[in-house]
Amino acid sequence: MPALLASLHKWTVDEPARSLNKELALLFADAHDYICVKIGEDGGREVCLCYLSTLASPAKLRFVVSEEAGTLESRLSQYEGTALQEAQADSAEHAICLGMAVLCMEGSSHGLVLNLHKVQQRSLSSPFTENVLQGPLYAFNENLEVNTALVRQRFRSSKLKCLISDIGTATRTKAAIMYAEDKVNPDCLQRVQDALDGLDVQSVQDTGELLRLIDTKRWARLFPKAILTERPDRVSNDLLRGKIVILLDGMPFALLLPAVYTDFWHSPEDSYVNPFVSVFLNALRFLAMFCNLTLPALYIALTSINVDVNRLEISLAAAASREGVPYPVFIETMLMLIIIDFITEAGTRLPKAISATVTMVGGVVLGQAIIQANIVSNLLVIIVAATAITNFIVIDYQMGLVHRILKYFVCIGASVAGLLGIVFCLVCLVFYLSCLESFGTPYLTTMLKKKGGGA
């Protein structure tokens, strides 16, 4: 390989301290896994290979480093005719951190980047955060190339475009922006590209963190502006609806945007079942959302303020269930809601082996004990249990967290003005949602399947 070695010779510097191998040795001075090994000589000058042993592939290294594989020219012959990247100190440092190896010569200011990296990834598995009732049983993993390949396997068209961008001055995390050229809204695409190009951060470790960084309107961050999913079938369907997909290297979740309010209540299985069944399931989810927001507030309003609205039998039954309860209705309702949120969060964070036990103890033992102690009424336990169940019907986890917060504000409104306070809170919520937009798309609109635009 005379041409490859000749390239290293032409970058000779007068000062040995400025040579690439010396600069890399200073940059990785305290890195125990940094290796700079001599692989041969050419023209009386040493040829070195610099890499990180924890990221480089041992099998590929063995062929290049070992002198038993032949002469230096024969070992480098596999790279003949390939496009090799020239690297100075900064680009060589980044290449080594990516798992590549840098071929450099003693006294040379430049080097050549060789692809010797080892891919660190887990095999494809089923989604962890989204239950698959019908559809493909594989999900994204932490490798960006694998994730983009999964999308292309389901979207077999030249209209699918993929742009690569580096985010973070320290980590230089790769992000892939994918979109259907004939479906995407050009204005929305430009907004996303400008937001990513304008990021000035050291690192991005998660797609949720990336969403917060590109969403500049801090007052409008209560509701999620994008969907997080690990299902390739959902990504391919949303690409046909004009959405933009952002895949982050090292993360098994795709970011779908723009996202409107109704997107968080639809499941990918809705497209696979009978249309009548799909309409019924969506109506059931929206009914659950309404019950989750209003059930505890209605209990407060109808048992403490608007008592005359109930039938006499219901009022007497509610009064009998509260006999002996020392706290006002608002206090006991807030107490039970907080306890249920404690149990839910504990079941989410604890290991699976003991989370079921904690849920059973909290739901059964604690619920029974709190009733016998006359701290809350029997009717309130039923209301709070129904509220917790309706929160779990939410398709998107982010939206479920938002509604867990909102029900407290509706309860406060009910304690102040009864049914009128509930209506006031719901009207304020609608006004707030109408002021939101997701990258130029109004939040209360519907993403339509039409050519040339996403909304």
Side-chain angles (χ1 to χ4, degrees):
M1 178 68 68
L4 189 150
L5 296 175
S7 300
L8 299 177
H9 278 286
K10 72 179 181 180
W11 292 319
T12 304
V13 293
D14 298 331
E15 302 179 18
R18 293 178 51 202
S19 62
L20 181 60
N21 57 344
K22 299 291 185 182
E23 293 189 23
L24 290 176
L26 292 176
L27 290 172
F28 293 96
D30 296 326
H32 75 282
D33 56 345
Y34 172 73
I35 305 295
C36 184
V37 60
K38 174 186 173 182
I39 63 173
E41 292 186 0
D42 187 76
R45 297 166 60 186
E46 294 184 354
V47 179
C48 302
L49 191 68
C50 305
Y51 59 92
L52 292 176
S53 60
T54 52
L55 297 180
S57 171
K60 296 178 181 179
L61 282 171
R62 191 178 302 111
F63 181 81
V64 178
V65 175
S66 177
E67 296 183 356
E68 299 178 357
T71 63
L72 178 62
E73 289 79 5
S74 63
R75 280 178 277 156
L76 298 178
S77 61
Q78 58 177 318
Y79 298 99
E80 184 176 2
T82 61
L84 296 178
Q85 178 186 353
E86 300 176 3
Q88 289 181 306
D90 54 348
S91 56
E93 176 195 4
H94 179 53
I96 291 176
C97 291
L98 290 177
M100 307 292 185
V102 176
L103 182 71
C104 57
M105 185 173 288
E106 183 182 5
S108 180
S109 63
H110 288 61
L112 296 174
V113 178
L114 305 183
N115 184 8
L116 302 181
H117 77 288
K118 175 178 61 177
V119 179
Q120 304 283 356
Q121 68 179 48
R122 60 184 173 91
S123 59
L124 296 181
S125 58
S126 299
F128 287 100
T129 60
E130 299 174 90
N131 289 330
V132 180
L133 303 179
Q134 186 175 350
L137 295 177
Y138 58 86
F140 293 126
N141 63 10
E142 288 76 16
N143 188 281
L144 182 61
E145 295 180 357
V146 172
N147 293 342
T148 53
L150 292 178
V151 176
R152 285 201 174 274
Q153 285 179 359
R154 303 193 65 85
F155 197 112
R156 301 180 180 92
S157 173
S158 61
K159 299 294 184 181
L160 178 60
K161 306 301 179 182
C162 182
L163 306 176
I164 299 295
S165 176
D166 290 335
I167 303 175
T169 56
T171 58
R172 298 183 185 179
T173 306
K174 288 188 176 297
I177 307 172
M178 306 185 74
Y179 61 92
E181 186 180 26
D182 57 338
K183 302 291 183 180
V184 72
N185 187 334
D187 295 333
C188 181
L189 178 62
Q190 189 62 44
R191 284 173 181 257
V192 174
Q193 289 179 326
D194 293 342
L196 292 177
D197 294 339
L199 288 180
D200 185 16
V201 294
Q202 289 189 340
S203 67
V204 175
Q205 301 294 336
D206 184 77
T207 46
E209 180 185 3
L210 176 62
L211 176 60
R212 290 193 296 270
L213 291 173
I214 62 179
D215 186 10
T216 56
K217 295 182 179 179
R218 296 182 180 274
W219 63 271
R221 289 184 179 179
L222 177 60
F223 285 85
K225 303 296 182 58
I227 298 174
L228 288 173
T229 182
E230 50 181 336
R231 296 184 57 172
D233 58 333
R234 183 168 191 172
V235 169
S236 61
N237 286 335
D238 284 346
L239 283 170
L240 291 173
R241 299 174 59 201
K243 291 186 183 295
I244 302 168
V245 178
I246 300 179
L247 297 169
L248 204 62
D249 191 23
M251 279 302 298
F253 292 93
L255 204 61
L256 300 175
L257 49 90
V260 298
Y261 186 73
T262 54
D263 289 336
F264 296 93
W265 303 92
H266 291 289
S267 172
E269 282 83 4
D270 294 344
S271 303
Y272 308 150
V273 298
N274 187 293
F276 297 101
V277 177
S278 177
V279 171
F280 169 74
L281 293 177
N282 280 280
L284 200 65
R285 293 171 194 145
F286 278 99
L287 179 61
M289 178 268 295
F290 185 78
C291 292
N292 180 261
L293 286 177
T294 59
L295 268 182
L298 285 173
Y299 174 79
I300 296 174
L302 297 179
T303 56
S304 62
I305 297 179
N306 302 104
V307 183
D308 54 337
V309 176
N310 293 329
R311 292 176 58 91
L312 180 60
E313 294 82 356
I314 298 178
S315 298
L316 292 175
S321 67
R322 295 199 71 253
E323 185 178 357
V325 176
Y327 301 111
V329 177
F330 175 71
I331 299 298
E332 67 165 340
T333 303
M334 296 295 286
L335 177 63
M336 280 301 299
L337 289 178
I338 292 174
I339 290 176
I340 287 295
D341 280 336
F342 284 162
I343 297 173
T344 303
E345 195 65 16
T348 303
R349 303 301 173 186
L350 287 175
K352 293 182 179 180
I354 59 175
S355 61
T357 304
V358 171
T359 305
M360 182 184 66
V361 172
V364 179
V365 179
L366 184 60
Q368 184 66 26
I370 204 171
I371 293 174
Q372 292 180 352
N374 286 333
I375 298 177
V376 298
S377 64
N378 298 332
L379 183 59
L380 179 60
V381 173
I382 299 174
I383 295 294
V384 172
T387 303
I389 292 173
T390 54
N391 186 258
F392 297 141
I393 298 179
V394 179
I395 296 297
D396 189 83
Y397 177 70
Q398 302 176 89
M399 187 61 72
L401 292 177
V402 172
H403 282 271
R404 283 170 60 182
I405 298 173
L406 289 177
K407 67 176 181 286
Y408 289 102
F409 292 98
V410 181
C411 287
I412 294 174
S415 66
V416 173
L419 295 177
L420 184 61
I422 297 176
V423 174
F424 177 77
C425 290
L426 295 179
V427 170
C428 290
L429 178 61
V430 173
F431 275 120
Y432 176 74
L433 291 173
S434 64
C435 296
L436 300 182
E437 63 176 24
S438 176
F439 300 93
T441 303
Y443 205 63
L444 289 183
T445 188
T446 302
M447 298 291 289
L448 301 177
K449 298 179 182 179
K450 63 180 182 179
K451 187 176 181 179

